[in-house]
Amino acid sequence: MTMRVWNAFTWTVLAVAAASGCLLVTPLDDLPSTQAAGAGGAQGGSGGKPGQVIPDGGVDASSGAGGAPDSGLCRTNADCVDQGAGAPYLCRPSDQTCVPLLSEACPLAYDEENVKDPNAVLFGAFAPLTNVRPGDNSIIWAHRLALRELNGDSIPGIPGGPGGARRKLVMVVCNSAEASVAPAFEHLIEELEVPAVLATLRSGDLREQYERYQSRGIFYLSPIAVSSVVANEDDGGRIWSLLGQPRDFAPTYRALLERAEAYVRAERNLDAQTPIKAVLVGSADALDYELATAITPGLVLNGQPASADPEHFKRVDLPVNPNYADEAAKVGEFHPDIVISAASEKFSASNALQAQL
């Protein structure tokens, strides 16, 4: 039997369930002059502080730069920006009230100078933000790449504005690392009044927020997989998923494990008769648990169904609030050659299980 070295893992990871965030879209058109004044009454807003430009090109709500707009009705988004000493505000169509783009739950904005454009479109995005340089985030970088393309020279804004005008884009980023995304949705839907969500969210959060705002007719598009509970929600066609359900990934995981096993055997010069070990890591999250359960029956290890060989295959499900050091010890006791992740950010985040392993 070839000796195994604990720190010589081969990782098999498919991060289909990572809760990276959501993107929300709403027009920032100026209010028509015929709109009734006085609807809604007092100055609105979340109480979040107006922001300032941060080194990576965004706006940080924590700084408090700029003053809140004077009370009274607004006519255009430019009115609110001018009154707010350049801080990112917009004129809410429903009550002609200046509201801040940013809040404590949604602290960053990019290309916010486009707020003054009467044809602009507002996007909100979710990402797990840190206190130190929150803009240094792969999810935000991906969103900003698209933002630069759509606001750039080759595509100077998306078409469809009045009179054939182009619509520039503004992105607001909310924090998905908090225990609850409810404050972010309150800001984006109740205060900014967005009509649609590109919902890269955990299935439980997506279901909860859909049901919370069901009467608002919000459209949700999930670019990742969703749990069967969300897929079967009686939503009137308002929740769409681009990547289906966890069971759709079973063939991919089987193929990944097959290739990982071949790699381990070649790297360590193991013959086909020498068994190797694998651990499948899931979590208590609805999508993660469903994913791990869906892929387990199809996994093949050492030439036979993995689940039929508990001596060489083990499944570990992380609890809601895991102690990652303890969970890493459980995995380590099994001495696996391959670790398979179906645990999204509980596995791959910078301070999560993979870092402990």
Side-chain angles (χ1 to χ4, degrees), residues 6-80:
W6 170 235
N7 63 1
F9 280 115
T10 293
W11 302 98
T12 301
V13 182
L14 184 61
V16 299
S20 60
C22 71
L23 185 66
L24 302 101
V25 184
T26 183
L28 295 180
D29 301 272
D30 290 341
L31 288 165
S33 58
T34 56
Q35 179 154 345
Q43 168 97 16
S46 65
K49 300 175 182 178
Q52 69 177 9
V53 176
I54 57 178
D56 62 356
V59 173
D60 185 350
S62 64
S63 66
D70 296 332
S71 60
L73 300 179
C74 56
R75 290 284 303 280
T76 70
N77 298 311
D79 291 341
C80 297

Side-chain angles (χ1 to χ4, degrees), residues 240-332:
W240 289 17
S241 171
L242 295 181
L243 296 185
Q245 297 179 55
R247 64 173 181 263
D248 299 323
F249 292 89
T252 301
Y253 270 93
R254 175 172 177 155
L256 281 172
L257 180 55
E258 180 181 324
R259 295 188 65 177
E261 180 177 350
Y263 174 81
V264 169
R265 291 188 181 280
E267 182 188 45
R268 302 182 185 176
N269 197 26
L270 302 177
D271 58 36
Q273 286 68 48
T274 302
I276 64 174
K277 291 184 174 183
V279 167
L280 170 63
V281 180
S283 85
D285 174 82
L287 182 62
D288 293 350
Y289 187 86
E290 189 172 331
L291 177 63
T293 301
I295 67 178
T296 296
L299 296 178
V300 175
L301 184 69
N302 300 318
Q304 64 178 327
S307 58
D309 185 10
E311 182 180 354
H312 299 103
F313 177 79
K314 180 180 182 179
R315 173 173 165 178
V316 174
D317 286 311
L318 305 178
V320 175
N321 297 306
N323 180 312
Y324 290 116
D326 291 346
E327 298 300 325
K330 292 179 185 177
V331 175

Side-chain angles (χ1 to χ4, degrees), residues 19 126-130 174-181 202:
F126 276 101
L129 305 180
T130 59
C174 304
N175 191 0
S176 64
E178 299 297 329
S180 172
V181 297
R202 289 180 289 269

